[in-house]
Amino acid sequence: MNIVLFGPPGAGKGTQAKELSKQYDIPHISTGDILRANVRDGTELGMKAKEYMDKGELVPDEVLIGLIKNRINESDCEVGYLLDGYPRTIPQADALASILGEINKPLDAVLNIDVSDDELVARLGGRRTCSCGESYHMKFNPPEKEDVCNACGSELYQRDDDKENVIRQRLTTYNEKTKPLINYYENLGILVNIDGTGTVDGVFADICKVMDQYK
Ligand code: ADP
Ligand code: ADP
Ligand code: ZN
């Protein structure tokens, strides 16, 4: 199963992908998580990416294309994969098509998780993140113990780009650079719209109904 989870920042891609990855036993590839791990480790890639991430802008295409090419060619992706946060521009989507063409593993579907702007702002503003990749929300999806990750016990933090002024810039970046991909995949006939406004479990059930068709 080769799936892209698509949607604006805060739509719930990461939250859903974590569960879907367990349910279908395929790797969850989050470019945001990979970049943040590089920032934490102080790698050259991380230092370059941080400048853009802190401003709510996209990291240059060539960086992401190289990164995703390496990741998709790892052996765990042979059974399929769940992409989260990639592609975010038309050149990234074109590059993905050619990478997947080479290994003869085309995308089955692009699931577009749709949520209103007001709800996105509320979700991002209250998001708390763990270095293990889990995310929570202070009101909508609190951890069992305040500020502690259920999955690994680490202390949660607020991402620098989840501060109000950067949130607005990220939504603008999404509208300008990423939203055109909805048309791009609609034209390819593989876009599936998902209403992302329900509960986490409700949205999960809706996505599973779609994914079950590609098992
Ligand atoms: P994305 O990966 O698309 O940026 P996340 O999965 O990190 O989004 O979710 C953004 C925030 O919204 C997090 O705080 C998360 O706990 C919360 N959230 C996710 N899904 C829902 C939902 N269905 N209802 C309410 N809050 C949600
Ligand atoms: P969210 O889903 O909450 O917007 P992500 O964790 O997916 O956040 O991404 C965080 C930041 O990492 C983005 O704002 C951007 O700077 C960078 N990033 C992640 N994926 C990509 C990508 N495919 N292309 C360019 N930049 C990316
Ligand atoms: Zn954790």
Side-chain angles (χ1 to χ4, degrees), residues 130-134 136 149-154 156:
C130 181
S131 58
C132 78
E134 290 285 340
Y136 301 86
C149 176
N150 296 345
C152 78
S154 300
L156 304 178

Side-chain angles (χ1 to χ4, degrees), residues 7-16 84 119 123-124 126-128 135-138 140-141 159 170 196-201 203:
K13 302 181 296 295
T15 301
Q16 296 297 334
D84 160 12
E119 176 72 13
R123 287 186 184 185
L124 292 169
R127 176 158 66 182
R128 292 294 178 272
S135 74
Y136 301 86
H137 191 282
M138 288 185 333
F140 308 148
N141 184 22
R159 280 168 45 177
R170 285 161 64 211
T197 49
T199 60
V200 171
D201 291 348
V203 176

Side-chain angles (χ1 to χ4, degrees), residues 71-86:
R71 184 64 189 88
I72 288 225
N73 280 302
E74 281 179 37
S75 59
D76 63 334
C77 292
E78 271 161 32
V79 291
Y81 48 79
L82 203 50
L83 289 183
D84 160 12
Y86 185 101

